[in-house]
Amino acid sequence: MLLISHKRFQAEIKRLKRLIAISDHSFKETREKLISKLRSKELQMDDEILSSSTEPFRVVRLIDVLRAQVPRYLRELVFVRAISALEVYLIDSIKEISTVNPSLFKSDEKLEIQRSKLFSSSSLDDLLFEIIEKDCRGLGSSGFSEITKYYKNKMSVNYSSLHPGLGTLEEYHDRRHLLVHRLGVVDEKYSHKYNFTGKKVGVESTYLLKALDDLDRFSQEHNSLIMSSLFGVPFGTTTVSYRCACVLVGDIESNVFLKPDFILSGGTLLETLLKLVKVKDGRVTFVLEGKDSHVREYAHLLKERH
């Protein structure tokens, strides 16, 4: 079984690989067509074939940027998004794990909770959700090193044992930092840490494809480690204790209760409960399966508001 967050990450990596493949093909096809038109005299090298808000593009210039500049920018953007997606996956996994095994997040750390929040919470699940959300907000702004520390301290997960190794993952994040905040210009810290002698870092095709493969494999090993080490059984086995079938009639598209990201108490996403959804003739039939309290809570909400 897979964490929902892992499924999303796998889909994102697949989309990024597809984007690179389609774009490379499109760039090549466009260049070849332009060159063919130059040879047939249908176009001249100085013809302005494309204009922008900054400068007109001559045919010869367009061929040149499609060969190098545009693919380079695209690779950098894809790389930055892939690393960001990895961080989102790791943080979302924490939220997901907390709904299944909250005991992992116990500690002697003191917490400050507003009285209004304490008295307005309907259950301990609500408080746990707030605590985990606070942790995740902090991790989102702290960076990859703090995320790795969190997994190690809370769940004894050591990324050094996973492909491609902690050092490579750190380099990916450090390179992403340079691309985002310094447009690739190398600083002294990066040069010293990785023995890099150049002035700028980029993202070559082979580097990007290897990085995407590395991130995909890392996420698979990470998911397997979470499933086996933390739960000992396939994910969901210990939490599925209730099954319920429901039917709704009406404006299905605008119904907030059927949105996959609808959140129940304790931060549980509806999509983790939905096992089957069928829509026909204005009627939607769906089956919920999951933790008893979550399924009953959702069914109760439907009865109250429909």
Side-chain angles (χ1 to χ4, degrees):
M1 295 291 288
L2 302 177
L3 292 164
I4 298 298
S5 50
H6 182 230
K7 290 181 179 180
R8 290 173 177 164
F9 180 72
Q10 282 190 311
E12 178 70 13
I13 292 297
K14 185 178 295 184
R15 286 192 290 266
L16 291 177
K17 287 182 177 180
R18 188 182 301 127
L19 172 61
I20 288 295
I22 292 173
S23 298
D24 285 347
H25 176 76
S26 299
F27 296 154
K28 181 180 178 181
E29 286 285 305
T30 303
R31 289 199 315 272
E32 290 177 351
K33 286 183 179 180
L34 290 173
I35 292 172
S36 176
K37 288 184 177 182
L38 284 175
R39 289 172 176 169
S40 66
K41 307 299 183 181
E42 185 178 345
L43 288 174
Q44 300 299 316
M45 293 181 66
D46 290 332
D47 286 348
E48 294 181 1
I49 192 173
L50 185 66
S51 62
S52 67
S53 59
T54 56
E55 62 175 324
F57 262 87
R58 294 179 301 150
V59 173
V60 65
R61 173 61 176 158
L62 182 57
I63 292 173
D64 185 54
V65 297
L66 285 174
R67 178 187 59 80
Q69 186 185 76
V70 174
R72 173 165 59 87
Y73 280 7
L74 179 64
R75 290 194 301 269
E76 291 177 359
L77 290 170
V78 167
F79 177 75
V80 168
R81 184 177 178 92
I83 300 302
S84 297
L86 175 66
E87 292 185 353
V88 170
Y89 157 61
L90 294 174
I91 291 174
D92 284 352
S93 293
I94 291 171
K95 298 177 184 179
E96 199 169 346
I97 292 166
S98 72
T99 65
V100 179
N101 196 343
S103 64
L104 294 171
F105 301 89
K106 289 180 180 179
S107 72
D108 295 327
E109 178 186 357
K110 292 183 179 180
L111 294 172
E112 290 187 4
I113 300 178
Q114 294 179 339
R115 289 170 62 90
S116 59
K117 178 65 67 175
L118 183 62
F119 284 100
S120 63
S121 298
S122 60
S123 67
L124 288 176
D125 281 345
D126 286 347
L127 291 177
L128 173 62
F129 175 67
E130 289 295 328
I131 293 170
I132 298 300
E133 278 291 308
K134 183 179 179 180
D135 286 355
C136 290
R137 283 194 297 270
L139 293 173
S141 59
S142 298
F144 180 69
S145 61
E146 292 302 314
I147 295 175
T148 61
K149 291 177 185 177
Y150 189 91
Y151 269 93
K152 188 172 183 178
N153 294 335
K154 299 292 185 183
M155 294 168 266
S156 299
V157 173
N158 190 346
Y159 288 169
S160 297
S161 63
L162 304 180
H163 179 87
L166 186 57
T168 300
L169 292 172
E170 288 179 344
E171 195 280 326
Y172 288 157
H173 281 80
D174 290 342
R175 185 172 297 228
R176 189 273 302 268
H177 177 83
L178 293 178
L179 290 169
V180 171
H181 299 288
R182 297 173 60 88
L183 296 180
V185 177
V186 175
D187 56 19
E188 185 177 348
K189 179 180 178 181
Y190 184 92
S191 296
H192 178 74
K193 185 175 181 180
Y194 301 107
N195 194 27
F196 187 82
T197 58
K199 294 182 178 180
K200 293 187 69 174
V201 294
V203 181
E204 298 302 321
S205 294
T206 53
Y207 179 93
L208 176 60
L209 294 177
K210 179 182 181 302
L212 293 177
D213 286 341
D214 282 346
L215 297 181
D216 191 16
R217 180 174 166 184
F218 167 80
S219 71
Q220 294 178 39
E221 293 186 7
H222 178 269
N223 180 81
S224 297
L225 182 63
I226 295 296
M227 295 301 97
S228 61
S229 299
L230 301 185
F231 302 113
V233 291
F235 184 71
T237 301
T238 59
T239 62
V240 175
S241 57
Y242 193 74
R243 190 176 178 92
C244 176
C246 305
V247 177
L248 286 180
V249 180
D251 187 3
I252 307 302
E253 292 297 325
S254 62
N255 196 318
V256 68
F257 290 100
L258 289 177
K259 302 296 183 183
D261 58 354
F262 179 79
I263 299 177
L264 286 77
S265 67
T268 301
L269 290 174
L270 174 59
E271 69 176 336
T272 63
L273 303 180
L274 288 175
K275 301 303 176 185
L276 174 69
V277 180
K278 291 184 178 180
V279 180
K280 184 177 181 181
D281 299 328
R283 295 165 61 92
V284 57
T285 302
F286 54 98
V287 174
L288 305 171
E289 185 177 84
K291 191 175 180 180
D292 182 281
S293 60
H294 294 157
V295 176
R296 290 183 184 278
E297 175 192 349
Y298 184 77
H300 180 68
L301 286 171
L302 288 180
K303 290 179 181 179
E304 275 191 338
R305 306 193 187 190
H306 291 275

